Amino acid sequence: MKTDFEAWLDAYPPDEKHLAAKVDKQELTHKAAACRQVLDLHGLTREQARLAVDQALKAALQDQVASLLIIHGKGLHSSTGPVLATWLRDYLEGHSLAGKIQSVPAKQGGTGALEVSVRKKN
């Protein structure tokens, strides 16, 4: 048995123009996702985080990924407050593969994440 929506689609099928637009949008979404990788550092020590950041930046460079979203957390579950937030920004500013470093919108992690562009090696 068809749902109301499926019956409506049968009665009013989309034209080729709308189908092409939908495919293009999906392709663009896929390409955009390939331009950014995500690294989650929750629960790691600074040393573990350093190793993970180094590895992720090298992999992003090799995979020709434009940017890396690094989730470091807000420190809400830590008795001493944020462990990685300040350290991470300082570390990235001195990293040879890190380019522009910026905060992200609240829906992407806000103060608990940073986006860093991947700098190509000279």
Side-chain angles (χ1 to χ4, degrees):
M1 177 158 233
K2 290 186 178 183
T3 65
D4 290 340
F5 181 68
E6 290 170 328
W8 184 86
L9 280 176
D10 286 343
Y12 306 100
D15 60 23
E16 292 300 316
K17 176 182 169 187
H18 290 101
L19 288 175
K22 184 176 182 182
V23 170
D24 290 346
K25 184 177 179 183
Q26 288 173 342
E27 185 177 321
L28 288 174
T29 302
H30 176 71
K31 286 180 181 177
C35 292
R36 179 198 269 180
Q37 289 182 352
V38 178
L39 173 63
D40 189 343
L41 301 177
H42 278 107
L44 300 183
T45 65
R46 285 184 183 155
E47 182 58 22
Q48 291 169 329
R50 184 188 64 76
L51 294 171
V53 168
D54 288 347
Q55 182 178 3
L57 283 169
K58 288 176 187 173
L61 176 66
Q62 182 178 355
D63 296 342
Q64 298 180 339
V65 174
S67 67
L68 185 63
L69 176 66
I70 303 176
I71 303 168
H72 52 74
K74 297 179 182 179
L76 300 177
H77 303 288
S78 174
S79 60
T80 59
V83 175
L84 298 176
T86 305
W87 168 85
L88 179 61
R89 186 174 282 277
D90 291 342
Y91 183 67
L92 289 171
E93 286 175 358
H95 201 289
S96 64
L97 297 179
K100 182 178 178 183
I101 303 163
Q102 60 187 11
S103 300
V104 297
K107 67 181 181 179
Q108 294 179 355
T111 59
L114 291 173
E115 181 169 17
V116 59
S117 63
V118 180
R119 181 182 295 162
K120 293 178 176 62
K121 280 188 170 180
N122 294 333

